[in-house]
Amino acid sequence: MATSTQGVNLDPEKQTLLNQHQEKHFTAGEIVRDIIIGVSNATSSIVLTAGIAEVAAGAISMGLGGYLAAKSEADHYARELRREQEEIKSVPDTEAAEVAEILAHYGIEPHEYGPVVSALRKKPQAWLDFMMKFELGLEKPDPRRALQSALTIAIAYILGGFVPLIPYMFIPSAQDAVIASVILTLAALLIFGFAKGYFTGNKPFRSAFQTALIGAIASAAAFGMAKAVHP
């Protein structure tokens, strides 16, 4: 490292060498130390801010995804409806034969499904509804389904996303808050799983355990991948 030579008697040759040589050492050790201490003791507010941003972005993304999926389903139904309408008008005998084939698959005899086919041919709308449901397996979607789907998914995502963030609102230290967050999230998963099993007629305790287990595995996988990327 080059030092100051003021007030020091050196021969001209050594003085020239010192003047020409400039060592480049990193001298900001204290700054690095302060940065490391600051990062390792990050406050909960940082985690909370990042978490809220992720929940907001995720809710928008998931909501739009649900809206587009429901809209695509409605568009598909409308296309198939138009196609079936055209076939009933252009090839009614073929469509009538398809009705007979469908009924025959249910074990109905020709003399039994004959009057049904004839009755449907007299009622184009009923015939169309029958073909959409029994030939194509399509149910008429609710016109409000796309918006309802978007709102339901987005709200559910927000509620689910805020549960792990609650401890960070009250515990200043992120290291302490993360433990409380894990406990609270597992408790929420158990309650949700129990309610799901209760209302769907399955075994509530088994449903609670499965939901909590799947949630724990998913969280552990996400944590493991994060650690792998940033050890």
Side-chain angles (χ1 to χ4, degrees):
M1 180 178 70
T3 58
S4 173
T5 59
Q6 292 181 355
V8 178
N9 246 345
L10 291 175
D11 61 75
E13 183 181 355
K14 289 185 173 58
Q15 185 65 53
T16 302
L17 290 173
L18 287 174
N19 291 338
Q20 291 177 349
H21 178 67
Q22 292 184 354
E23 295 185 8
K24 296 180 180 179
H25 292 290
F26 186 75
T27 57
E30 293 182 354
I31 297 176
V32 174
R33 180 200 63 190
D34 293 341
I35 292 174
I36 292 174
I37 292 174
V39 172
S40 61
N41 291 278
T43 61
S44 292
S45 61
I46 297 175
V47 179
L48 184 60
T49 302
I52 291 174
E54 192 283 329
V55 169
I60 294 172
S61 175
M62 296 293 289
L64 286 175
Y67 177 86
L68 292 174
K71 190 70 168 57
S72 176
E73 181 182 349
D75 292 342
H76 173 65
Y77 183 89
R79 285 194 302 270
E80 293 300 318
L81 184 69
R82 288 193 298 268
R83 184 184 64 82
E84 199 65 37
Q85 282 177 324
E86 292 173 0
E87 290 181 350
I88 287 176
K89 292 178 181 178
S90 59
V91 285
D93 292 337
T94 302
E95 292 298 297
E98 290 178 355
V99 173
E101 183 182 23
I102 293 170
L103 295 174
H105 284 159
Y106 286 92
I108 301 176
E109 298 296 330
H111 68 278
E112 294 173 324
Y113 63 65
V116 176
V117 174
S118 300
L120 285 175
R121 296 190 68 163
K122 297 175 182 178
K123 299 179 180 179
Q125 186 59 50
W127 190 2
L128 179 61
D129 294 340
F130 180 91
M131 298 303 289
M132 292 296 294
K133 183 174 182 179
F134 291 98
E135 182 191 19
L136 302 178
L138 297 176
E139 294 283 351
K140 185 177 181 179
D142 187 338
R144 299 170 297 177
R145 170 64 180 160
L147 183 58
Q148 289 175 345
S149 177
L151 292 176
T152 301
I153 293 174
I155 292 172
Y157 191 94
I158 291 172
L159 293 177
F162 264 112
V163 170
L165 296 177
I166 292 175
Y168 294 96
M169 300 177 183
F170 304 99
I171 303 176
S173 172
Q175 291 182 344
D176 296 334
V178 70
I179 299 174
S181 178
V182 170
I183 296 173
L184 181 62
T185 301
L186 286 175
L189 289 171
L190 287 169
I191 294 172
F192 174 76
F194 184 91
K196 182 186 68 172
Y198 179 82
F199 288 109
T200 57
N202 295 321
K203 297 178 180 179
F205 288 101
R206 182 178 180 181
S207 176
F209 174 76
Q210 287 178 339
T211 303
L213 179 61
I214 293 172
I217 292 174
S219 299
F223 181 81
M225 286 188 289
K227 291 291 288 183
V229 174
H230 296 286

PDB file of all heavy atoms in Angstrom, residues 137-163:
ATOM      1  N   GLY A 137     -72.017 -32.401 -24.592  1.00  0.00           N
ATOM      2  CA  GLY A 137     -71.699 -32.346 -23.171  1.00  0.00           C
ATOM      3  C   GLY A 137     -71.422 -30.941 -22.669  1.00  0.00           C
ATOM      4  O   GLY A 137     -70.606 -30.755 -21.764  1.00  0.00           O
ATOM      5  N   LEU A 138     -72.093 -29.946 -23.246  1.00  0.00           N
ATOM      6  CA  LEU A 138     -71.865 -28.552 -22.874  1.00  0.00           C
ATOM      7  C   LEU A 138     -73.089 -27.983 -22.174  1.00  0.00           C
ATOM      8  O   LEU A 138     -74.217 -28.136 -22.642  1.00  0.00           O
ATOM      9  CB  LEU A 138     -71.545 -27.710 -24.116  1.00  0.00           C
ATOM     10  CG  LEU A 138     -70.272 -28.080 -24.887  1.00  0.00           C
ATOM     11  CD1 LEU A 138     -70.153 -27.214 -26.133  1.00  0.00           C
ATOM     12  CD2 LEU A 138     -69.048 -27.907 -24.008  1.00  0.00           C
ATOM     13  N   GLU A 139     -72.846 -27.332 -21.042  1.00  0.00           N
ATOM     14  CA  GLU A 139     -73.906 -26.644 -20.323  1.00  0.00           C
ATOM     15  C   GLU A 139     -73.824 -25.158 -20.640  1.00  0.00           C
ATOM     16  O   GLU A 139     -72.733 -24.592 -20.745  1.00  0.00           O
ATOM     17  CB  GLU A 139     -73.750 -26.859 -18.818  1.00  0.00           C
ATOM     18  CG  GLU A 139     -73.954 -28.299 -18.364  1.00  0.00           C
ATOM     19  CD  GLU A 139     -75.425 -28.702 -18.326  1.00  0.00           C
ATOM     20  OE1 GLU A 139     -76.283 -27.800 -18.491  1.00  0.00           O
ATOM     21  OE2 GLU A 139     -75.708 -29.890 -18.138  1.00  0.00           O
ATOM     22  N   LYS A 140     -74.966 -24.512 -20.753  1.00  0.00           N
ATOM     23  CA  LYS A 140     -74.979 -23.083 -21.043  1.00  0.00           C
ATOM     24  C   LYS A 140     -74.359 -22.315 -19.883  1.00  0.00           C
ATOM     25  O   LYS A 140     -74.844 -22.393 -18.741  1.00  0.00           O
ATOM     26  CB  LYS A 140     -76.410 -22.600 -21.293  1.00  0.00           C
ATOM     27  CG  LYS A 140     -76.478 -21.132 -21.721  1.00  0.00           C
ATOM     28  CD  LYS A 140     -77.908 -20.728 -22.025  1.00  0.00           C
ATOM     29  CE  LYS A 140     -77.970 -19.265 -22.489  1.00  0.00           C
ATOM     30  NZ  LYS A 140     -79.353 -18.845 -22.805  1.00  0.00           N
ATOM     31  N   PRO A 141     -73.294 -21.563 -20.136  1.00  0.00           N
ATOM     32  CA  PRO A 141     -72.636 -20.842 -19.041  1.00  0.00           C
ATOM     33  C   PRO A 141     -73.439 -19.624 -18.610  1.00  0.00           C
ATOM     34  O   PRO A 141     -74.148 -19.009 -19.404  1.00  0.00           O
ATOM     35  CB  PRO A 141     -71.292 -20.430 -19.653  1.00  0.00           C
ATOM     36  CG  PRO A 141     -71.546 -20.362 -21.122  1.00  0.00           C
ATOM     37  CD  PRO A 141     -72.585 -21.401 -21.420  1.00  0.00           C
ATOM     38  N   ASP A 142     -73.302 -19.286 -17.347  1.00  0.00           N
ATOM     39  CA  ASP A 142     -73.937 -18.081 -16.810  1.00  0.00           C
ATOM     40  C   ASP A 142     -73.238 -16.860 -17.416  1.00  0.00           C
ATOM     41  O   ASP A 142     -72.007 -16.772 -17.378  1.00  0.00           O
ATOM     42  CB  ASP A 142     -73.787 -18.071 -15.290  1.00  0.00           C
ATOM     43  CG  ASP A 142     -74.573 -16.935 -14.634  1.00  0.00           C
ATOM     44  OD1 ASP A 142     -74.865 -15.940 -15.332  1.00  0.00           O
ATOM     45  OD2 ASP A 142     -74.873 -17.048 -13.445  1.00  0.00           O
ATOM     46  N   PRO A 143     -73.987 -15.901 -17.968  1.00  0.00           N
ATOM     47  CA  PRO A 143     -73.357 -14.708 -18.566  1.00  0.00           C
ATOM     48  C   PRO A 143     -72.492 -13.928 -17.581  1.00  0.00           C
ATOM     49  O   PRO A 143     -71.556 -13.242 -17.972  1.00  0.00           O
ATOM     50  CB  PRO A 143     -74.561 -13.867 -19.020  1.00  0.00           C
ATOM     51  CG  PRO A 143     -75.682 -14.838 -19.149  1.00  0.00           C
ATOM     52  CD  PRO A 143     -75.444 -15.890 -18.120  1.00  0.00           C
ATOM     53  N   ARG A 144     -72.806 -14.041 -16.285  1.00  0.00           N
ATOM     54  CA  ARG A 144     -72.043 -13.319 -15.261  1.00  0.00           C
ATOM     55  C   ARG A 144     -70.881 -14.139 -14.721  1.00  0.00           C
ATOM     56  O   ARG A 144     -70.169 -13.690 -13.824  1.00  0.00           O
ATOM     57  CB  ARG A 144     -72.971 -12.931 -14.110  1.00  0.00           C
ATOM     58  CG  ARG A 144     -74.119 -12.010 -14.517  1.00  0.00           C
ATOM     59  CD  ARG A 144     -75.126 -11.879 -13.391  1.00  0.00           C
ATOM     60  NE  ARG A 144     -75.742 -13.166 -13.091  1.00  0.00           N
ATOM     61  CZ  ARG A 144     -76.615 -13.354 -12.101  1.00  0.00           C
ATOM     62  NH1 ARG A 144     -76.975 -12.341 -11.332  1.00  0.00           N
ATOM     63  NH2 ARG A 144     -77.118 -14.551 -11.879  1.00  0.00           N
ATOM     64  N   ARG A 145     -70.694 -15.326 -15.284  1.00  0.00           N
ATOM     65  CA  ARG A 145     -69.705 -16.249 -14.748  1.00  0.00           C
ATOM     66  C   ARG A 145     -68.285 -15.681 -14.808  1.00  0.00           C
ATOM     67  O   ARG A 145     -67.514 -15.838 -13.862  1.00  0.00           O
ATOM     68  CB  ARG A 145     -69.781 -17.564 -15.525  1.00  0.00           C
ATOM     69  CG  ARG A 145     -68.666 -18.555 -15.247  1.00  0.00           C
ATOM     70  CD  ARG A 145     -68.685 -19.031 -13.830  1.00  0.00           C
ATOM     71  NE  ARG A 145     -67.618 -19.977 -13.571  1.00  0.00           N
ATOM     72  CZ  ARG A 145     -67.150 -20.268 -12.359  1.00  0.00           C
ATOM     73  NH1 ARG A 145     -67.656 -19.665 -11.292  1.00  0.00           N
ATOM     74  NH2 ARG A 145     -66.183 -21.130 -12.201  1.00  0.00           N
ATOM     75  N   ALA A 146     -67.936 -15.029 -15.898  1.00  0.00           N
ATOM     76  CA  ALA A 146     -66.563 -14.532 -16.065  1.00  0.00           C
ATOM     77  C   ALA A 146     -66.207 -13.526 -14.978  1.00  0.00           C
ATOM     78  O   ALA A 146     -65.149 -13.628 -14.342  1.00  0.00           O
ATOM     79  CB  ALA A 146     -66.395 -13.901 -17.451  1.00  0.00           C
ATOM     80  N   LEU A 147     -67.096 -12.562 -14.740  1.00  0.00           N
ATOM     81  CA  LEU A 147     -66.830 -11.548 -13.720  1.00  0.00           C
ATOM     82  C   LEU A 147     -66.836 -12.155 -12.320  1.00  0.00           C
ATOM     83  O   LEU A 147     -65.975 -11.836 -11.486  1.00  0.00           O
ATOM     84  CB  LEU A 147     -67.868 -10.432 -13.811  1.00  0.00           C
ATOM     85  CG  LEU A 147     -67.676  -9.257 -12.852  1.00  0.00           C
ATOM     86  CD1 LEU A 147     -66.317  -8.600 -13.064  1.00  0.00           C
ATOM     87  CD2 LEU A 147     -68.797  -8.242 -13.029  1.00  0.00           C
ATOM     88  N   GLN A 148     -67.791 -13.045 -12.067  1.00  0.00           N
ATOM     89  CA  GLN A 148     -67.861 -13.694 -10.766  1.00  0.00           C
ATOM     90  C   GLN A 148     -66.604 -14.524 -10.501  1.00  0.00           C
ATOM     91  O   GLN A 148     -66.067 -14.525  -9.387  1.00  0.00           O
ATOM     92  CB  GLN A 148     -69.101 -14.590 -10.684  1.00  0.00           C
ATOM     93  CG  GLN A 148     -70.409 -13.814 -10.599  1.00  0.00           C
ATOM     94  CD  GLN A 148     -71.615 -14.729 -10.632  1.00  0.00           C
ATOM     95  OE1 GLN A 148     -71.525 -15.904 -10.991  1.00  0.00           O
ATOM     96  NE2 GLN A 148     -72.769 -14.192 -10.246  1.00  0.00           N
ATOM     97  N   SER A 149     -66.145 -15.231 -11.526  1.00  0.00           N
ATOM     98  CA  SER A 149     -64.947 -16.051 -11.387  1.00  0.00           C
ATOM     99  C   SER A 149     -63.734 -15.189 -11.072  1.00  0.00           C
ATOM    100  O   SER A 149     -62.925 -15.514 -10.187  1.00  0.00           O
ATOM    101  CB  SER A 149     -64.707 -16.838 -12.677  1.00  0.00           C
ATOM    102  OG  SER A 149     -63.509 -17.591 -12.588  1.00  0.00           O
ATOM    103  N   ALA A 150     -63.603 -14.072 -11.786  1.00  0.00           N
ATOM    104  CA  ALA A 150     -62.469 -13.176 -11.560  1.00  0.00           C
ATOM    105  C   ALA A 150     -62.473 -12.632 -10.141  1.00  0.00           C
ATOM    106  O   ALA A 150     -61.435 -12.640  -9.457  1.00  0.00           O
ATOM    107  CB  ALA A 150     -62.503 -12.038 -12.570  1.00  0.00           C
ATOM    108  N   LEU A 151     -63.634 -12.157  -9.670  1.00  0.00           N
ATOM    109  CA  LEU A 151     -63.720 -11.588  -8.325  1.00  0.00           C
ATOM    110  C   LEU A 151     -63.499 -12.642  -7.252  1.00  0.00           C
ATOM    111  O   LEU A 151     -62.806 -12.394  -6.252  1.00  0.00           O
ATOM    112  CB  LEU A 151     -65.090 -10.917  -8.134  1.00  0.00           C
ATOM    113  CG  LEU A 151     -65.337  -9.652  -8.962  1.00  0.00           C
ATOM    114  CD1 LEU A 151     -66.759  -9.151  -8.759  1.00  0.00           C
ATOM    115  CD2 LEU A 151     -64.340  -8.566  -8.585  1.00  0.00           C
ATOM    116  N   THR A 152     -64.080 -13.830  -7.445  1.00  0.00           N
ATOM    117  CA  THR A 152     -63.928 -14.897  -6.453  1.00  0.00           C
ATOM    118  C   THR A 152     -62.474 -15.307  -6.302  1.00  0.00           C
ATOM    119  O   THR A 152     -61.950 -15.438  -5.180  1.00  0.00           O
ATOM    120  CB  THR A 152     -64.774 -16.120  -6.849  1.00  0.00           C
ATOM    121  OG1 THR A 152     -66.146 -15.740  -6.952  1.00  0.00           O
ATOM    122  CG2 THR A 152     -64.649 -17.225  -5.809  1.00  0.00           C
ATOM    123  N   ILE A 153     -61.804 -15.523  -7.431  1.00  0.00           N
ATOM    124  CA  ILE A 153     -60.397 -15.943  -7.389  1.00  0.00           C
ATOM    125  C   ILE A 153     -59.527 -14.853  -6.784  1.00  0.00           C
ATOM    126  O   ILE A 153     -58.656 -15.125  -5.947  1.00  0.00           O
ATOM    127  CB  ILE A 153     -59.911 -16.317  -8.797  1.00  0.00           C
ATOM    128  CG1 ILE A 153     -60.631 -17.567  -9.296  1.00  0.00           C
ATOM    129  CG2 ILE A 153     -58.403 -16.543  -8.815  1.00  0.00           C
ATOM    130  CD1 ILE A 153     -60.326 -17.926 -10.729  1.00  0.00           C
ATOM    131  N   ALA A 154     -59.740 -13.603  -7.195  1.00  0.00           N
ATOM    132  CA  ALA A 154     -58.917 -12.501  -6.700  1.00  0.00           C
ATOM    133  C   ALA A 154     -59.103 -12.305  -5.193  1.00  0.00           C
ATOM    134  O   ALA A 154     -58.120 -12.156  -4.451  1.00  0.00           O
ATOM    135  CB  ALA A 154     -59.264 -11.214  -7.446  1.00  0.00           C
ATOM    136  N   ILE A 155     -60.352 -12.326  -4.728  1.00  0.00           N
ATOM    137  CA  ILE A 155     -60.614 -12.132  -3.294  1.00  0.00           C
ATOM    138  C   ILE A 155     -60.035 -13.281  -2.480  1.00  0.00           C
ATOM    139  O   ILE A 155     -59.432 -13.077  -1.419  1.00  0.00           O
ATOM    140  CB  ILE A 155     -62.123 -11.987  -3.049  1.00  0.00           C
ATOM    141  CG1 ILE A 155     -62.632 -10.671  -3.657  1.00  0.00           C
ATOM    142  CG2 ILE A 155     -62.431 -12.022  -1.555  1.00  0.00           C
ATOM    143  CD1 ILE A 155     -64.129 -10.519  -3.630  1.00  0.00           C
ATOM    144  N   ALA A 156     -60.217 -14.519  -2.980  1.00  0.00           N
ATOM    145  CA  ALA A 156     -59.663 -15.676  -2.278  1.00  0.00           C
ATOM    146  C   ALA A 156     -58.146 -15.605  -2.207  1.00  0.00           C
ATOM    147  O   ALA A 156     -57.531 -15.936  -1.192  1.00  0.00           O
ATOM    148  CB  ALA A 156     -60.098 -16.964  -2.985  1.00  0.00           C
ATOM    149  N   TYR A 157     -57.528 -15.140  -3.277  1.00  0.00           N
ATOM    150  CA  TYR A 157     -56.070 -15.010  -3.305  1.00  0.00           C
ATOM    151  C   TYR A 157     -55.602 -13.960  -2.294  1.00  0.00           C
ATOM    152  O   TYR A 157     -54.612 -14.165  -1.587  1.00  0.00           O
ATOM    153  CB  TYR A 157     -55.610 -14.624  -4.711  1.00  0.00           C
ATOM    154  CG  TYR A 157     -54.114 -14.718  -4.919  1.00  0.00           C
ATOM    155  CD1 TYR A 157     -53.536 -15.875  -5.437  1.00  0.00           C
ATOM    156  CD2 TYR A 157     -53.275 -13.653  -4.588  1.00  0.00           C
ATOM    157  CE1 TYR A 157     -52.164 -15.965  -5.622  1.00  0.00           C
ATOM    158  CE2 TYR A 157     -51.902 -13.740  -4.772  1.00  0.00           C
ATOM    159  CZ  TYR A 157     -51.353 -14.897  -5.287  1.00  0.00           C
ATOM    160  OH  TYR A 157     -49.997 -14.982  -5.457  1.00  0.00           O
ATOM    161  N   ILE A 158     -56.328 -12.852  -2.217  1.00  0.00           N
ATOM    162  CA  ILE A 158     -55.967 -11.797  -1.273  1.00  0.00           C
ATOM    163  C   ILE A 158     -56.098 -12.287   0.166  1.00  0.00           C
ATOM    164  O   ILE A 158     -55.201 -12.089   0.998  1.00  0.00           O
ATOM    165  CB  ILE A 158     -56.844 -10.553  -1.496  1.00  0.00           C
ATOM    166  CG1 ILE A 158     -56.495  -9.900  -2.843  1.00  0.00           C
ATOM    167  CG2 ILE A 158     -56.683  -9.554  -0.362  1.00  0.00           C
ATOM    168  CD1 ILE A 158     -57.430  -8.780  -3.239  1.00  0.00           C
ATOM    169  N   LEU A 159     -57.228 -12.942   0.480  1.00  0.00           N
ATOM    170  CA  LEU A 159     -57.437 -13.438   1.839  1.00  0.00           C
ATOM    171  C   LEU A 159     -56.374 -14.469   2.220  1.00  0.00           C
ATOM    172  O   LEU A 159     -55.812 -14.427   3.316  1.00  0.00           O
ATOM    173  CB  LEU A 159     -58.837 -14.047   1.955  1.00  0.00           C
ATOM    174  CG  LEU A 159     -60.012 -13.062   1.824  1.00  0.00           C
ATOM    175  CD1 LEU A 159     -61.333 -13.803   1.876  1.00  0.00           C
ATOM    176  CD2 LEU A 159     -59.946 -12.003   2.932  1.00  0.00           C
ATOM    177  N   GLY A 160     -56.125 -15.401   1.288  1.00  0.00           N
ATOM    178  CA  GLY A 160     -55.116 -16.413   1.562  1.00  0.00           C
ATOM    179  C   GLY A 160     -53.717 -15.835   1.656  1.00  0.00           C
ATOM    180  O   GLY A 160     -52.897 -16.269   2.479  1.00  0.00           O
ATOM    181  N   GLY A 161     -53.439 -14.818   0.845  1.00  0.00           N
ATOM    182  CA  GLY A 161     -52.110 -14.226   0.835  1.00  0.00           C
ATOM    183  C   GLY A 161     -51.826 -13.363   2.053  1.00  0.00           C
ATOM    184  O   GLY A 161     -50.669 -13.232   2.469  1.00  0.00           O
ATOM    185  N   PHE A 162     -52.872 -12.796   2.660  1.00  0.00           N
ATOM    186  CA  PHE A 162     -52.664 -11.918   3.805  1.00  0.00           C
ATOM    187  C   PHE A 162     -52.452 -12.693   5.112  1.00  0.00           C
ATOM    188  O   PHE A 162     -51.891 -12.149   6.064  1.00  0.00           O
ATOM    189  CB  PHE A 162     -53.850 -10.966   3.974  1.00  0.00           C
ATOM    190  CG  PHE A 162     -53.615  -9.630   3.336  1.00  0.00           C
ATOM    191  CD1 PHE A 162     -54.351  -9.239   2.230  1.00  0.00           C
ATOM    192  CD2 PHE A 162     -52.646  -8.772   3.830  1.00  0.00           C
ATOM    193  CE1 PHE A 162     -54.130  -8.005   1.634  1.00  0.00           C
ATOM    194  CE2 PHE A 162     -52.423  -7.539   3.243  1.00  0.00           C
ATOM    195  CZ  PHE A 162     -53.156  -7.152   2.138  1.00  0.00           C
ATOM    196  N   VAL A 163     -52.889 -13.943   5.141  1.00  0.00           N
ATOM    197  CA  VAL A 163     -52.737 -14.720   6.380  1.00  0.00           C
ATOM    198  C   VAL A 163     -51.274 -14.810   6.823  1.00  0.00           C
ATOM    199  O   VAL A 163     -50.953 -14.515   7.984  1.00  0.00           O
ATOM    200  CB  VAL A 163     -53.362 -16.127   6.215  1.00  0.00           C
ATOM    201  CG1 VAL A 163     -52.985 -17.015   7.397  1.00  0.00           C
ATOM    202  CG2 VAL A 163     -54.869 -16.029   6.100  1.00  0.00           C
TER     203      VAL A 163
END
